[in-house]
């Protein structure tokens, strides 16, 4: 019989006292609601996701509801959550659930992974948080907690490796109930206490077990391998600005209209081309040889 890892009990006890009251943790949340939350939470903080999730689930509470929506409505509802391709992939996922599983999110991991937009992390999170089964759930917060406590490192490597996955699996309790609680608890600890930039070590329930703290909080050993993305003045910002204009209207939008919001012609052209290529916008030429117009996909 496997002995429970020393990190588990104190972290779960801490979670019982400090867990945030989030709607996708409520007893009446559905598996579909859990999946929606996980997609929205990718690279987006909870405070921005929570109101968007509530509005989304009120409008489209089931996969069938979302599957029947127009892509334009889906993109407008996604609003400023960022990375809007996630919204279209979520709708593709909903349509696959309707077509292949009669509208019910599958419980089988292989079937989950076969859905559009569902990767290893999302499938594990749904398995744990929607279905209450043992899974190895490794988001940025969990990886950071384990890197610090077990490896004595400030931050985990930029990319998840097989050894790190095995190490995490060794910590997850063997039974479904405790494993599910651990996954939620360690994720919350990373989000609230063991944060990337300002960890509150004095509030940590496993400070006495932390290798990073014992080593004197050494600097990030992988700092030179991390890609830091700029924002102001980049193609990414241009793309976001153009997308905001398209979301704001049902009418076709001309390049002249868009130039008022992003005057750099070359960047604007690249932004439009990438949005069209990603299925986030449609280009039309109402008059042959005339100016093109753009709008959200129908």
């Amino acid at each position: 019989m496997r002995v429970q890892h020393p990190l588990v009990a104190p972290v779960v006890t801490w979670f019982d006292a400090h867990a945030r009251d989030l709607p996708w943790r409520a007893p009446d949340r559905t598996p579909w609601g859990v999946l929606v939350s996980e997609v929205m939470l990718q690279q987006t903080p909870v405070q921005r996701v929570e109101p968007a999730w509530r509005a989304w689930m009120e409008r489209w509470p089931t996969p069938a509801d979302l599957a029947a929506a127009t892509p334009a409505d889906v993109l407008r509802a996604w609003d400023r959550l960022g990375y809007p391709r996630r919204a279209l992939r979520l709708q593709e996922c909903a349509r696959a659930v309707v077509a292949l599983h009669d509208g019910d999110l599958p419980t089988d991991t292989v079937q989950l992974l076969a859905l559009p937009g569902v990767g290893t992390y999302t499938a594990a999170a749904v398995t744990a948080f929607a279905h209450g089964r043992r899974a190895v759930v490794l988001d940025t917060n969990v990886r950071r907690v384990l890197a610090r406590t077990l490896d004595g490192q400030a931050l985990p490597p930029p990319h998840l490796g097989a050894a790190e996955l095995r190490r995490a699996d060794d910590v997850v309790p063997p039974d479904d109930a405790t494993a599910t609680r651990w996954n939620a608890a360690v994720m919350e600890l990373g989000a609230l206490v063991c944060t990337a930039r300002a960890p509150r070590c004095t509030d940590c329930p496993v400070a006495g077990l932390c290798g990073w703290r014992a080593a004197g909080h050494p600097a990030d050993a992988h700092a030179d391998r991390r890609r830091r993305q700029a924002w102001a003045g980049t193609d990414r910002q241009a793309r976001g600005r153009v997308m905001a204009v398209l979301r704001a209207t049902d009418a076709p939008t001309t390049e002249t209209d868009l130039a008022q919001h992003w005057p750099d012609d070359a960047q604007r052209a690249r932004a439009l081309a990438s949005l069209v290529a990603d299925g986030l916008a449609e280009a039309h030429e109402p008059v042959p040889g005339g100016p093109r117009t753009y709008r959200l996909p129908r």
Side-chain angles (χ1 to χ4, degrees):
M1 183 175 179
R2 199 171 85 181
V3 176
Q4 183 168 279
H5 196 281
L7 289 176
V8 174
V11 172
V12 169
T13 299
W14 171 88
F15 181 69
D16 290 340
H18 297 91
R20 289 171 291 182
D21 182 18
L22 300 175
W24 46 86
R25 291 177 179 163
D28 63 349
R29 88 281 184 267
T30 63
W32 175 247
V34 172
L35 186 144
V36 171
S37 75
E38 290 298 338
V39 173
M40 287 185 169
L41 286 163
Q42 294 167 14
Q43 300 179 304
T44 309
V46 165
Q47 60 267 29
R48 288 177 58 197
V49 168
E50 185 172 358
W53 184 90
R54 290 183 186 277
W56 188 283
M57 294 305 297
E58 182 175 350
R59 187 173 185 180
W60 299 305
T62 70
D65 295 318
L66 182 60
T70 67
D73 283 344
V74 170
L75 289 169
R76 287 196 178 94
W78 195 260
D79 196 26
R80 297 176 60 83
L81 284 179
Y83 303 96
R85 278 180 291 181
R86 290 183 294 166
L88 296 186
R89 292 292 278 172
L90 189 54
Q91 185 175 44
E92 291 175 31
C93 178
R95 289 173 173 168
V97 170
V98 171
L100 302 175
H101 305 288
D102 297 323
D104 294 322
L105 196 66
T107 59
D108 179 76
T109 301
V110 174
Q111 291 179 328
L112 283 170
L113 287 168
L115 295 173
V118 176
T120 303
Y121 166 78
T122 303
V126 170
T127 297
F129 304 138
H131 302 308
R133 298 206 316 270
R134 186 186 187 278
V136 182
V137 183
L138 274 180
D139 76 341
T140 301
N141 290 313
V142 179
R143 294 184 65 211
R144 184 169 58 253
V145 171
L146 296 181
R148 287 175 176 171
T149 55
L150 301 182
D151 300 334
Q153 296 186 352
L155 295 170
H159 304 292
L160 176 65
E164 186 182 354
L165 184 60
R166 287 193 300 270
R167 188 271 318 275
D169 186 37
D170 289 340
V171 182
V172 178
D175 66 289
D176 288 338
T178 313
T180 298
R181 202 69 180 157
W182 158 256
N183 281 318
V186 68
M187 188 178 295
E188 192 81 332
L189 185 68
L192 299 183
V193 175
C194 192
T195 59
R197 295 183 180 179
R200 297 187 290 113
C201 296
T202 56
D203 297 328
C204 181
V206 289
L209 301 175
C210 180
W212 184 56
R213 183 170 180 262
H217 304 98
D220 178 14
H222 308 285
D224 59 341
R225 297 170 54 198
R226 301 189 193 283
R227 182 179 63 180
R228 289 176 171 80
Q229 294 181 322
W231 173 250
T234 63
D235 284 6
R236 289 174 60 236
Q237 187 184 24
R239 179 180 158 109
R241 190 74 57 81
V242 169
M243 192 67 187
V245 175
L246 298 182
R247 281 199 309 267
T249 180
D250 283 324
T253 304
T254 66
E255 284 223 41
T256 301
D257 297 328
L258 292 169
Q260 299 175 36
H261 301 273
W262 197 269
D264 187 302
D265 292 341
Q267 276 193 314
R268 190 176 63 254
R270 288 196 298 271
L272 285 166
S274 70
L275 289 171
V276 171
D278 288 342
L280 297 170
E282 293 177 346
H284 299 273
E285 195 173 281
V287 179
R292 278 189 161 194
T293 62
Y294 298 86
R295 67 183 183 191
L296 294 181
R298 300 292 175 177

